[in-house]
Amino acid sequence: MTVSRLLAVAFIFACTAVAWFILGASLVVRTGESDTRLTQEVKRLWGGEHDQIAPDAWYERSRVVIEQVQQPNGSGGTYMQPVTKTVVDRVPVPITSSRLDVSLSLDQRQKGLLWYDTYGVTFAGDYRLVNADSAPHTVFVHFVFPSTEALYDAFTFRLNGRDVPPASELSQGITAMAELAAGAETTLRVAYRSRGLGDWAYSFTPSGVAQVRDFVMEVKTDCAGIDFPAGTISPTRKTGDGKGFRLTWAFDSLITGQHIGVDLPNRLNPGPLASRITFFAPVSLLFFITVVVVLGVLSGRSLHPMNYFFLAAAFFAFHLLLAYLVDHVNIHAAFLIASATSIALVVSYLRLVGGARFAFLQAGVAQLVFLVLFSYAFFFEGYTGLTVTVGSVLTLFVLMQATARVDWSDLFASKAPALPPIASRD
């Protein structure tokens, strides 16, 4: 291997790396465009993200205020005129007890390059409200639906034991009234079945900080691998329940600005995975070329730069196939097809160039390790870096041991002979 040939191989490697960067960028763009368009489709077909806000209760109290209003006088000046107004204040009615039961059933759906975490939700909540004032009041209770892009089956809204029918316009929620004597209490029950997308959340207040009393929520999931989004309260108890979990949040008296949330397990998304594998591809090719060059040094024969051009093209074929198969077939099937195609291209080509032993036992094994296994490490999130690091260190050790006695000065001073042609079997 001469210096000029090494420079030619480096140029081929650089050009292939640019092609991989363009392919990876196109995958990122396709994934982003797909997500923007398909998320809205999934919401319309299935339902939007659910954030159930606790009911709001209040009674109204009138008071008279006197305001000074500026008025013009006859001489072109102004004077202050006292004006009496009646102002209606909303006085909050506290929810003194909450008992909530929620069931979440995962039903993930794939659209294009992405999987979406869709789920079915069954919600049932019993609340107790108390008029702590010393006078009777008409109490208003307002309930807001967790999403305007969802359906609600078997909906129940019962205040003080009386079912309240939904109004014609429900985008702002539903409001009911109940007469409460001084110190009296009333009950509210809300229940429905719905479908949602993404995380499921329960908020004590739309914004700010809320005080929560005697609160117990149980959430049952039918799947493992759940998580809790950032900024949410962890459950006070988590127990296994069949294939899923039973989560419990229980508080006697809590003041918080956080909310409760459940992040259902995410499936491996084909688009982002394929783009990460594609951007990593130059590393795989660099390892492969290094091993093939070293094998040429040890055997006293070297491949021509045109041979490296076709090998780089065979590596690129793997990622090109993967990029356009993942939105049509299962990600594992796409990976298997792309791997088999690329290995077949390399092995069948090198069998003609350098013989079966070189093609299968040397180049084929190197491609299996550096292209297939390194790329498959991206399927195991959190272990990719460790896998590649261990493989890199082992490769470095083998290459150092194999080339320790090579006289590099003598090697680059002479011109290595090319690989001899394969003898005809005729």
Side-chain angles (χ1 to χ4, degrees), residues 268-269 272-281 283-284 318-319 322 331 335 370-385 387-388:
L268 203 59
N269 275 314
L273 176 66
S275 65
R276 291 196 298 271
I277 293 175
T278 301
F279 284 125
F280 180 79
V283 178
S284 298
F318 168 85
H319 300 88
L322 183 65
I331 179 63
F335 188 90
F370 300 124
L371 176 65
V372 179
L373 296 185
F374 275 19
S375 297
Y376 197 71
F378 284 87
F379 283 80
F380 305 97
E381 190 173 354
Y383 293 92
T384 305
T387 302
V388 174

PDB file of all heavy atoms in Angstrom, residues 268-269 272-281 283-284 318-319 322 331 335 370-385 387-388:
ATOM      1  N   LEU A 268     -39.566   1.512  19.549  1.00  0.00           N
ATOM      2  CA  LEU A 268     -38.424   1.976  18.765  1.00  0.00           C
ATOM      3  C   LEU A 268     -38.935   2.625  17.484  1.00  0.00           C
ATOM      4  O   LEU A 268     -39.616   1.983  16.678  1.00  0.00           O
ATOM      5  CB  LEU A 268     -37.523   0.786  18.438  1.00  0.00           C
ATOM      6  CG  LEU A 268     -36.068   1.073  18.122  1.00  0.00           C
ATOM      7  CD1 LEU A 268     -35.392   1.786  19.290  1.00  0.00           C
ATOM      8  CD2 LEU A 268     -35.348  -0.232  17.815  1.00  0.00           C
ATOM      9  N   ASN A 269     -38.623   3.904  17.316  1.00  0.00           N
ATOM     10  CA  ASN A 269     -39.096   4.628  16.139  1.00  0.00           C
ATOM     11  C   ASN A 269     -38.160   4.403  14.963  1.00  0.00           C
ATOM     12  O   ASN A 269     -36.960   4.696  15.042  1.00  0.00           O
ATOM     13  CB  ASN A 269     -39.210   6.123  16.437  1.00  0.00           C
ATOM     14  CG  ASN A 269     -40.527   6.461  17.086  1.00  0.00           C
ATOM     15  OD1 ASN A 269     -41.578   6.012  16.643  1.00  0.00           O
ATOM     16  ND2 ASN A 269     -40.478   7.248  18.155  1.00  0.00           N
ATOM     17  N   PRO A 272     -35.994   7.926  13.447  1.00  0.00           N
ATOM     18  CA  PRO A 272     -34.830   8.373  14.218  1.00  0.00           C
ATOM     19  C   PRO A 272     -33.746   7.313  14.341  1.00  0.00           C
ATOM     20  O   PRO A 272     -32.554   7.636  14.310  1.00  0.00           O
ATOM     21  CB  PRO A 272     -35.443   8.705  15.591  1.00  0.00           C
ATOM     22  CG  PRO A 272     -36.864   9.041  15.304  1.00  0.00           C
ATOM     23  CD  PRO A 272     -37.262   8.138  14.175  1.00  0.00           C
ATOM     24  N   LEU A 273     -34.135   6.027  14.467  1.00  0.00           N
ATOM     25  CA  LEU A 273     -33.136   4.964  14.568  1.00  0.00           C
ATOM     26  C   LEU A 273     -32.319   4.865  13.278  1.00  0.00           C
ATOM     27  O   LEU A 273     -31.075   4.789  13.315  1.00  0.00           O
ATOM     28  CB  LEU A 273     -33.815   3.635  14.860  1.00  0.00           C
ATOM     29  CG  LEU A 273     -32.894   2.412  14.894  1.00  0.00           C
ATOM     30  CD1 LEU A 273     -31.921   2.507  16.060  1.00  0.00           C
ATOM     31  CD2 LEU A 273     -33.700   1.127  14.965  1.00  0.00           C
ATOM     32  N   ALA A 274     -32.993   4.871  12.139  1.00  0.00           N
ATOM     33  CA  ALA A 274     -32.283   4.773  10.861  1.00  0.00           C
ATOM     34  C   ALA A 274     -31.364   5.972  10.645  1.00  0.00           C
ATOM     35  O   ALA A 274     -30.259   5.826  10.106  1.00  0.00           O
ATOM     36  CB  ALA A 274     -33.288   4.663   9.714  1.00  0.00           C
ATOM     37  N   SER A 275     -31.777   7.149  11.068  1.00  0.00           N
ATOM     38  CA  SER A 275     -30.915   8.326  10.898  1.00  0.00           C
ATOM     39  C   SER A 275     -29.681   8.234  11.787  1.00  0.00           C
ATOM     40  O   SER A 275     -28.571   8.592  11.360  1.00  0.00           O
ATOM     41  CB  SER A 275     -31.705   9.600  11.205  1.00  0.00           C
ATOM     42  OG  SER A 275     -32.099   9.642  12.562  1.00  0.00           O
ATOM     43  N   ARG A 276     -29.827   7.741  13.023  1.00  0.00           N
ATOM     44  CA  ARG A 276     -28.658   7.600  13.904  1.00  0.00           C
ATOM     45  C   ARG A 276     -27.676   6.577  13.342  1.00  0.00           C
ATOM     46  O   ARG A 276     -26.457   6.784  13.384  1.00  0.00           O
ATOM     47  CB  ARG A 276     -29.098   7.193  15.315  1.00  0.00           C
ATOM     48  CG  ARG A 276     -29.841   8.279  16.075  1.00  0.00           C
ATOM     49  CD  ARG A 276     -29.902   7.977  17.556  1.00  0.00           C
ATOM     50  NE  ARG A 276     -30.612   6.743  17.846  1.00  0.00           N
ATOM     51  CZ  ARG A 276     -31.918   6.653  18.055  1.00  0.00           C
ATOM     52  NH1 ARG A 276     -32.659   7.757  17.992  1.00  0.00           N
ATOM     53  NH2 ARG A 276     -32.488   5.501  18.328  1.00  0.00           N
ATOM     54  N   ILE A 277     -28.206   5.459  12.830  1.00  0.00           N
ATOM     55  CA  ILE A 277     -27.332   4.446  12.229  1.00  0.00           C
ATOM     56  C   ILE A 277     -26.607   5.015  11.012  1.00  0.00           C
ATOM     57  O   ILE A 277     -25.425   4.750  10.793  1.00  0.00           O
ATOM     58  CB  ILE A 277     -28.158   3.201  11.847  1.00  0.00           C
ATOM     59  CG1 ILE A 277     -28.673   2.497  13.104  1.00  0.00           C
ATOM     60  CG2 ILE A 277     -27.341   2.236  11.019  1.00  0.00           C
ATOM     61  CD1 ILE A 277     -29.591   1.320  12.821  1.00  0.00           C
ATOM     62  N   THR A 278     -27.305   5.805  10.219  1.00  0.00           N
ATOM     63  CA  THR A 278     -26.700   6.385   9.023  1.00  0.00           C
ATOM     64  C   THR A 278     -25.601   7.374   9.366  1.00  0.00           C
ATOM     65  O   THR A 278     -24.522   7.372   8.742  1.00  0.00           O
ATOM     66  CB  THR A 278     -27.783   7.077   8.171  1.00  0.00           C
ATOM     67  OG1 THR A 278     -28.787   6.118   7.809  1.00  0.00           O
ATOM     68  CG2 THR A 278     -27.183   7.663   6.905  1.00  0.00           C
ATOM     69  N   PHE A 279     -25.827   8.233  10.354  1.00  0.00           N
ATOM     70  CA  PHE A 279     -24.794   9.196  10.735  1.00  0.00           C
ATOM     71  C   PHE A 279     -23.566   8.497  11.330  1.00  0.00           C
ATOM     72  O   PHE A 279     -22.451   9.034  11.286  1.00  0.00           O
ATOM     73  CB  PHE A 279     -25.349  10.207  11.732  1.00  0.00           C
ATOM     74  CG  PHE A 279     -26.232  11.258  11.102  1.00  0.00           C
ATOM     75  CD1 PHE A 279     -27.522  11.470  11.553  1.00  0.00           C
ATOM     76  CD2 PHE A 279     -25.762  12.038  10.063  1.00  0.00           C
ATOM     77  CE1 PHE A 279     -28.335  12.435  10.964  1.00  0.00           C
ATOM     78  CE2 PHE A 279     -26.565  13.009   9.470  1.00  0.00           C
ATOM     79  CZ  PHE A 279     -27.852  13.206   9.925  1.00  0.00           C
ATOM     80  N   PHE A 280     -23.761   7.309  11.893  1.00  0.00           N
ATOM     81  CA  PHE A 280     -22.639   6.566  12.474  1.00  0.00           C
ATOM     82  C   PHE A 280     -21.869   5.774  11.423  1.00  0.00           C
ATOM     83  O   PHE A 280     -20.761   5.283  11.680  1.00  0.00           O
ATOM     84  CB  PHE A 280     -23.173   5.612  13.553  1.00  0.00           C
ATOM     85  CG  PHE A 280     -22.117   4.791  14.231  1.00  0.00           C
ATOM     86  CD1 PHE A 280     -21.326   5.340  15.220  1.00  0.00           C
ATOM     87  CD2 PHE A 280     -21.912   3.461  13.873  1.00  0.00           C
ATOM     88  CE1 PHE A 280     -20.342   4.587  15.853  1.00  0.00           C
ATOM     89  CE2 PHE A 280     -20.937   2.699  14.498  1.00  0.00           C
ATOM     90  CZ  PHE A 280     -20.153   3.262  15.493  1.00  0.00           C
ATOM     91  N   ALA A 281     -22.419   5.639  10.220  1.00  0.00           N
ATOM     92  CA  ALA A 281     -21.854   4.763   9.185  1.00  0.00           C
ATOM     93  C   ALA A 281     -20.385   5.027   8.874  1.00  0.00           C
ATOM     94  O   ALA A 281     -19.627   4.063   8.671  1.00  0.00           O
ATOM     95  CB  ALA A 281     -22.693   4.877   7.912  1.00  0.00           C
ATOM     96  N   VAL A 283     -17.962   5.667  10.738  1.00  0.00           N
ATOM     97  CA  VAL A 283     -17.130   4.978  11.724  1.00  0.00           C
ATOM     98  C   VAL A 283     -17.004   3.503  11.361  1.00  0.00           C
ATOM     99  O   VAL A 283     -15.917   2.919  11.415  1.00  0.00           O
ATOM    100  CB  VAL A 283     -17.721   5.145  13.138  1.00  0.00           C
ATOM    101  CG1 VAL A 283     -16.878   4.391  14.167  1.00  0.00           C
ATOM    102  CG2 VAL A 283     -17.801   6.618  13.503  1.00  0.00           C
ATOM    103  N   SER A 284     -18.132   2.888  10.980  1.00  0.00           N
ATOM    104  CA  SER A 284     -18.098   1.481  10.579  1.00  0.00           C
ATOM    105  C   SER A 284     -17.191   1.274   9.380  1.00  0.00           C
ATOM    106  O   SER A 284     -16.377   0.333   9.348  1.00  0.00           O
ATOM    107  CB  SER A 284     -19.518   1.008  10.251  1.00  0.00           C
ATOM    108  OG  SER A 284     -20.364   1.080  11.375  1.00  0.00           O
ATOM    109  N   PHE A 318     -26.346  -0.570   2.219  1.00  0.00           N
ATOM    110  CA  PHE A 318     -27.019  -0.996   3.460  1.00  0.00           C
ATOM    111  C   PHE A 318     -27.904   0.119   4.010  1.00  0.00           C
ATOM    112  O   PHE A 318     -29.080  -0.080   4.310  1.00  0.00           O
ATOM    113  CB  PHE A 318     -25.963  -1.407   4.487  1.00  0.00           C
ATOM    114  CG  PHE A 318     -26.493  -1.580   5.883  1.00  0.00           C
ATOM    115  CD1 PHE A 318     -27.060  -2.775   6.286  1.00  0.00           C
ATOM    116  CD2 PHE A 318     -26.440  -0.541   6.803  1.00  0.00           C
ATOM    117  CE1 PHE A 318     -27.563  -2.937   7.567  1.00  0.00           C
ATOM    118  CE2 PHE A 318     -26.938  -0.680   8.084  1.00  0.00           C
ATOM    119  CZ  PHE A 318     -27.499  -1.889   8.466  1.00  0.00           C
ATOM    120  N   HIS A 319     -27.349   1.301   4.140  1.00  0.00           N
ATOM    121  CA  HIS A 319     -28.096   2.409   4.751  1.00  0.00           C
ATOM    122  C   HIS A 319     -29.159   2.967   3.803  1.00  0.00           C
ATOM    123  O   HIS A 319     -30.205   3.428   4.255  1.00  0.00           O
ATOM    124  CB  HIS A 319     -27.118   3.502   5.172  1.00  0.00           C
ATOM    125  CG  HIS A 319     -26.099   3.020   6.159  1.00  0.00           C
ATOM    126  ND1 HIS A 319     -24.908   2.457   5.770  1.00  0.00           N
ATOM    127  CD2 HIS A 319     -26.111   2.992   7.512  1.00  0.00           C
ATOM    128  CE1 HIS A 319     -24.214   2.119   6.849  1.00  0.00           C
ATOM    129  NE2 HIS A 319     -24.924   2.432   7.912  1.00  0.00           N
ATOM    130  N   LEU A 322     -32.016   0.531   4.113  1.00  0.00           N
ATOM    131  CA  LEU A 322     -32.647   0.683   5.426  1.00  0.00           C
ATOM    132  C   LEU A 322     -33.502   1.943   5.480  1.00  0.00           C
ATOM    133  O   LEU A 322     -34.617   1.930   6.015  1.00  0.00           O
ATOM    134  CB  LEU A 322     -31.570   0.727   6.506  1.00  0.00           C
ATOM    135  CG  LEU A 322     -32.054   0.814   7.962  1.00  0.00           C
ATOM    136  CD1 LEU A 322     -32.805  -0.444   8.343  1.00  0.00           C
ATOM    137  CD2 LEU A 322     -30.876   1.057   8.907  1.00  0.00           C
ATOM    138  N   ILE A 331     -39.014  -2.745  11.358  1.00  0.00           N
ATOM    139  CA  ILE A 331     -37.647  -2.238  11.431  1.00  0.00           C
ATOM    140  C   ILE A 331     -36.635  -3.377  11.483  1.00  0.00           C
ATOM    141  O   ILE A 331     -35.564  -3.318  10.872  1.00  0.00           O
ATOM    142  CB  ILE A 331     -37.488  -1.297  12.648  1.00  0.00           C
ATOM    143  CG1 ILE A 331     -36.047  -0.780  12.769  1.00  0.00           C
ATOM    144  CG2 ILE A 331     -37.907  -1.981  13.931  1.00  0.00           C
ATOM    145  CD1 ILE A 331     -35.593   0.052  11.631  1.00  0.00           C
ATOM    146  N   PHE A 335     -33.798  -4.120   8.675  1.00  0.00           N
ATOM    147  CA  PHE A 335     -32.385  -4.243   9.038  1.00  0.00           C
ATOM    148  C   PHE A 335     -31.800  -5.546   8.501  1.00  0.00           C
ATOM    149  O   PHE A 335     -30.674  -5.569   7.984  1.00  0.00           O
ATOM    150  CB  PHE A 335     -32.237  -4.180  10.562  1.00  0.00           C
ATOM    151  CG  PHE A 335     -30.819  -4.103  11.045  1.00  0.00           C
ATOM    152  CD1 PHE A 335     -30.201  -2.882  11.227  1.00  0.00           C
ATOM    153  CD2 PHE A 335     -30.100  -5.260  11.321  1.00  0.00           C
ATOM    154  CE1 PHE A 335     -28.882  -2.812  11.666  1.00  0.00           C
ATOM    155  CE2 PHE A 335     -28.789  -5.201  11.756  1.00  0.00           C
ATOM    156  CZ  PHE A 335     -28.174  -3.976  11.932  1.00  0.00           C
ATOM    157  N   PHE A 370     -18.304  -4.750  12.110  1.00  0.00           N
ATOM    158  CA  PHE A 370     -18.263  -3.287  12.107  1.00  0.00           C
ATOM    159  C   PHE A 370     -19.500  -2.643  11.492  1.00  0.00           C
ATOM    160  O   PHE A 370     -19.859  -1.527  11.881  1.00  0.00           O
ATOM    161  CB  PHE A 370     -17.004  -2.802  11.379  1.00  0.00           C
ATOM    162  CG  PHE A 370     -15.737  -3.279  12.003  1.00  0.00           C
ATOM    163  CD1 PHE A 370     -14.800  -3.980  11.263  1.00  0.00           C
ATOM    164  CD2 PHE A 370     -15.490  -3.054  13.338  1.00  0.00           C
ATOM    165  CE1 PHE A 370     -13.622  -4.429  11.842  1.00  0.00           C
ATOM    166  CE2 PHE A 370     -14.315  -3.496  13.936  1.00  0.00           C
ATOM    167  CZ  PHE A 370     -13.385  -4.193  13.188  1.00  0.00           C
ATOM    168  N   LEU A 371     -20.143  -3.307  10.569  1.00  0.00           N
ATOM    169  CA  LEU A 371     -21.347  -2.727   9.969  1.00  0.00           C
ATOM    170  C   LEU A 371     -22.603  -3.235  10.661  1.00  0.00           C
ATOM    171  O   LEU A 371     -23.407  -2.447  11.171  1.00  0.00           O
ATOM    172  CB  LEU A 371     -21.407  -3.044   8.475  1.00  0.00           C
ATOM    173  CG  LEU A 371     -22.674  -2.556   7.759  1.00  0.00           C
ATOM    174  CD1 LEU A 371     -22.729  -1.031   7.782  1.00  0.00           C
ATOM    175  CD2 LEU A 371     -22.727  -3.070   6.325  1.00  0.00           C
ATOM    176  N   VAL A 372     -22.757  -4.557  10.711  1.00  0.00           N
ATOM    177  CA  VAL A 372     -24.010  -5.121  11.199  1.00  0.00           C
ATOM    178  C   VAL A 372     -24.120  -5.023  12.722  1.00  0.00           C
ATOM    179  O   VAL A 372     -25.087  -4.472  13.251  1.00  0.00           O
ATOM    180  CB  VAL A 372     -24.154  -6.582  10.730  1.00  0.00           C
ATOM    181  CG1 VAL A 372     -25.452  -7.183  11.271  1.00  0.00           C
ATOM    182  CG2 VAL A 372     -24.126  -6.660   9.213  1.00  0.00           C
ATOM    183  N   LEU A 373     -23.133  -5.559  13.442  1.00  0.00           N
ATOM    184  CA  LEU A 373     -23.235  -5.577  14.900  1.00  0.00           C
ATOM    185  C   LEU A 373     -23.143  -4.179  15.502  1.00  0.00           C
ATOM    186  O   LEU A 373     -23.887  -3.856  16.444  1.00  0.00           O
ATOM    187  CB  LEU A 373     -22.146  -6.477  15.488  1.00  0.00           C
ATOM    188  CG  LEU A 373     -22.246  -7.960  15.125  1.00  0.00           C
ATOM    189  CD1 LEU A 373     -21.187  -8.768  15.863  1.00  0.00           C
ATOM    190  CD2 LEU A 373     -23.638  -8.497  15.449  1.00  0.00           C
ATOM    191  N   PHE A 374     -22.243  -3.338  14.976  1.00  0.00           N
ATOM    192  CA  PHE A 374     -22.169  -1.965  15.485  1.00  0.00           C
ATOM    193  C   PHE A 374     -23.483  -1.223  15.233  1.00  0.00           C
ATOM    194  O   PHE A 374     -23.956  -0.465  16.082  1.00  0.00           O
ATOM    195  CB  PHE A 374     -21.012  -1.218  14.828  1.00  0.00           C
ATOM    196  CG  PHE A 374     -19.686  -1.431  15.514  1.00  0.00           C
ATOM    197  CD1 PHE A 374     -19.489  -2.498  16.368  1.00  0.00           C
ATOM    198  CD2 PHE A 374     -18.624  -0.562  15.299  1.00  0.00           C
ATOM    199  CE1 PHE A 374     -18.269  -2.702  16.996  1.00  0.00           C
ATOM    200  CE2 PHE A 374     -17.400  -0.754  15.918  1.00  0.00           C
ATOM    201  CZ  PHE A 374     -17.219  -1.833  16.763  1.00  0.00           C
ATOM    202  N   SER A 375     -24.084  -1.433  14.062  1.00  0.00           N
ATOM    203  CA  SER A 375     -25.353  -0.764  13.756  1.00  0.00           C
ATOM    204  C   SER A 375     -26.477  -1.323  14.614  1.00  0.00           C
ATOM    205  O   SER A 375     -27.356  -0.580  15.074  1.00  0.00           O
ATOM    206  CB  SER A 375     -25.690  -0.933  12.269  1.00  0.00           C
ATOM    207  OG  SER A 375     -24.722  -0.313  11.459  1.00  0.00           O
ATOM    208  N   TYR A 376     -26.470  -2.641  14.843  1.00  0.00           N
ATOM    209  CA  TYR A 376     -27.536  -3.241  15.651  1.00  0.00           C
ATOM    210  C   TYR A 376     -27.477  -2.787  17.105  1.00  0.00           C
ATOM    211  O   TYR A 376     -28.470  -2.849  17.828  1.00  0.00           O
ATOM    212  CB  TYR A 376     -27.457  -4.766  15.580  1.00  0.00           C
ATOM    213  CG  TYR A 376     -28.728  -5.449  16.037  1.00  0.00           C
ATOM    214  CD1 TYR A 376     -29.882  -5.393  15.261  1.00  0.00           C
ATOM    215  CD2 TYR A 376     -28.785  -6.122  17.243  1.00  0.00           C
ATOM    216  CE1 TYR A 376     -31.048  -5.989  15.677  1.00  0.00           C
ATOM    217  CE2 TYR A 376     -29.952  -6.731  17.672  1.00  0.00           C
ATOM    218  CZ  TYR A 376     -31.083  -6.665  16.877  1.00  0.00           C
ATOM    219  OH  TYR A 376     -32.250  -7.253  17.308  1.00  0.00           O
ATOM    220  N   ALA A 377     -26.311  -2.315  17.541  1.00  0.00           N
ATOM    221  CA  ALA A 377     -26.193  -1.807  18.909  1.00  0.00           C
ATOM    222  C   ALA A 377     -27.117  -0.622  19.151  1.00  0.00           C
ATOM    223  O   ALA A 377     -27.494  -0.343  20.299  1.00  0.00           O
ATOM    224  CB  ALA A 377     -24.747  -1.405  19.194  1.00  0.00           C
ATOM    225  N   PHE A 378     -27.522   0.088  18.090  1.00  0.00           N
ATOM    226  CA  PHE A 378     -28.429   1.227  18.250  1.00  0.00           C
ATOM    227  C   PHE A 378     -29.839   0.781  18.640  1.00  0.00           C
ATOM    228  O   PHE A 378     -30.646   1.619  19.059  1.00  0.00           O
ATOM    229  CB  PHE A 378     -28.470   2.046  16.958  1.00  0.00           C
ATOM    230  CG  PHE A 378     -27.264   2.911  16.755  1.00  0.00           C
ATOM    231  CD1 PHE A 378     -26.124   2.418  16.137  1.00  0.00           C
ATOM    232  CD2 PHE A 378     -27.253   4.219  17.204  1.00  0.00           C
ATOM    233  CE1 PHE A 378     -25.011   3.203  15.942  1.00  0.00           C
ATOM    234  CE2 PHE A 378     -26.145   5.023  17.022  1.00  0.00           C
ATOM    235  CZ  PHE A 378     -25.006   4.510  16.397  1.00  0.00           C
ATOM    236  N   PHE A 379     -30.156  -0.495  18.503  1.00  0.00           N
ATOM    237  CA  PHE A 379     -31.452  -0.992  18.933  1.00  0.00           C
ATOM    238  C   PHE A 379     -31.547  -1.028  20.461  1.00  0.00           C
ATOM    239  O   PHE A 379     -32.643  -1.084  21.005  1.00  0.00           O
ATOM    240  CB  PHE A 379     -31.708  -2.401  18.382  1.00  0.00           C
ATOM    241  CG  PHE A 379     -32.104  -2.416  16.938  1.00  0.00           C
ATOM    242  CD1 PHE A 379     -31.153  -2.293  15.933  1.00  0.00           C
ATOM    243  CD2 PHE A 379     -33.434  -2.557  16.567  1.00  0.00           C
ATOM    244  CE1 PHE A 379     -31.511  -2.315  14.601  1.00  0.00           C
ATOM    245  CE2 PHE A 379     -33.807  -2.570  15.229  1.00  0.00           C
ATOM    246  CZ  PHE A 379     -32.845  -2.450  14.248  1.00  0.00           C
ATOM    247  N   PHE A 380     -30.410  -1.027  21.142  1.00  0.00           N
ATOM    248  CA  PHE A 380     -30.389  -1.114  22.600  1.00  0.00           C
ATOM    249  C   PHE A 380     -29.981   0.244  23.160  1.00  0.00           C
ATOM    250  O   PHE A 380     -28.794   0.520  23.356  1.00  0.00           O
ATOM    251  CB  PHE A 380     -29.428  -2.212  23.056  1.00  0.00           C
ATOM    252  CG  PHE A 380     -29.730  -3.565  22.448  1.00  0.00           C
ATOM    253  CD1 PHE A 380     -29.049  -4.006  21.320  1.00  0.00           C
ATOM    254  CD2 PHE A 380     -30.719  -4.365  22.989  1.00  0.00           C
ATOM    255  CE1 PHE A 380     -29.337  -5.226  20.757  1.00  0.00           C
ATOM    256  CE2 PHE A 380     -31.018  -5.594  22.426  1.00  0.00           C
ATOM    257  CZ  PHE A 380     -30.324  -6.031  21.314  1.00  0.00           C
ATOM    258  N   GLU A 381     -30.972   1.072  23.380  1.00  0.00           N
ATOM    259  CA  GLU A 381     -30.716   2.439  23.823  1.00  0.00           C
ATOM    260  C   GLU A 381     -30.010   2.434  25.175  1.00  0.00           C
ATOM    261  O   GLU A 381     -30.411   1.733  26.098  1.00  0.00           O
ATOM    262  CB  GLU A 381     -32.034   3.207  23.928  1.00  0.00           C
ATOM    263  CG  GLU A 381     -31.859   4.687  24.156  1.00  0.00           C
ATOM    264  CD  GLU A 381     -33.166   5.440  24.090  1.00  0.00           C
ATOM    265  OE1 GLU A 381     -34.192   4.823  23.761  1.00  0.00           O
ATOM    266  OE2 GLU A 381     -33.160   6.647  24.368  1.00  0.00           O
ATOM    267  N   GLY A 382     -28.951   3.207  25.278  1.00  0.00           N
ATOM    268  CA  GLY A 382     -28.179   3.267  26.503  1.00  0.00           C
ATOM    269  C   GLY A 382     -26.943   2.391  26.476  1.00  0.00           C
ATOM    270  O   GLY A 382     -26.032   2.578  27.303  1.00  0.00           O
ATOM    271  N   TYR A 383     -26.888   1.416  25.568  1.00  0.00           N
ATOM    272  CA  TYR A 383     -25.744   0.513  25.490  1.00  0.00           C
ATOM    273  C   TYR A 383     -24.955   0.688  24.189  1.00  0.00           C
ATOM    274  O   TYR A 383     -23.962  -0.001  23.990  1.00  0.00           O
ATOM    275  CB  TYR A 383     -26.197  -0.940  25.607  1.00  0.00           C
ATOM    276  CG  TYR A 383     -26.757  -1.282  26.971  1.00  0.00           C
ATOM    277  CD1 TYR A 383     -28.118  -1.174  27.236  1.00  0.00           C
ATOM    278  CD2 TYR A 383     -25.920  -1.687  28.004  1.00  0.00           C
ATOM    279  CE1 TYR A 383     -28.630  -1.471  28.478  1.00  0.00           C
ATOM    280  CE2 TYR A 383     -26.422  -1.995  29.252  1.00  0.00           C
ATOM    281  CZ  TYR A 383     -27.777  -1.878  29.488  1.00  0.00           C
ATOM    282  OH  TYR A 383     -28.284  -2.169  30.727  1.00  0.00           O
ATOM    283  N   THR A 384     -25.399   1.577  23.319  1.00  0.00           N
ATOM    284  CA  THR A 384     -24.744   1.751  22.029  1.00  0.00           C
ATOM    285  C   THR A 384     -23.297   2.199  22.195  1.00  0.00           C
ATOM    286  O   THR A 384     -22.369   1.601  21.630  1.00  0.00           O
ATOM    287  CB  THR A 384     -25.507   2.782  21.182  1.00  0.00           C
ATOM    288  OG1 THR A 384     -26.874   2.383  21.070  1.00  0.00           O
ATOM    289  CG2 THR A 384     -24.895   2.885  19.799  1.00  0.00           C
ATOM    290  N   GLY A 385     -23.099   3.244  22.969  1.00  0.00           N
ATOM    291  CA  GLY A 385     -21.744   3.761  23.156  1.00  0.00           C
ATOM    292  C   GLY A 385     -20.814   2.733  23.768  1.00  0.00           C
ATOM    293  O   GLY A 385     -19.658   2.597  23.354  1.00  0.00           O
ATOM    294  N   THR A 387     -21.097  -0.565  23.640  1.00  0.00           N
ATOM    295  CA  THR A 387     -20.836  -1.629  22.676  1.00  0.00           C
ATOM    296  C   THR A 387     -19.779  -1.210  21.661  1.00  0.00           C
ATOM    297  O   THR A 387     -18.836  -1.962  21.363  1.00  0.00           O
ATOM    298  CB  THR A 387     -22.134  -2.009  21.944  1.00  0.00           C
ATOM    299  OG1 THR A 387     -23.115  -2.411  22.900  1.00  0.00           O
ATOM    300  CG2 THR A 387     -21.897  -3.138  20.969  1.00  0.00           C
ATOM    301  N   VAL A 388     -19.917  -0.022  21.121  1.00  0.00           N
ATOM    302  CA  VAL A 388     -18.958   0.461  20.131  1.00  0.00           C
ATOM    303  C   VAL A 388     -17.584   0.659  20.759  1.00  0.00           C
ATOM    304  O   VAL A 388     -16.545   0.347  20.147  1.00  0.00           O
ATOM    305  CB  VAL A 388     -19.466   1.771  19.495  1.00  0.00           C
ATOM    306  CG1 VAL A 388     -18.412   2.371  18.578  1.00  0.00           C
ATOM    307  CG2 VAL A 388     -20.755   1.518  18.724  1.00  0.00           C
TER     308      VAL A 388
END
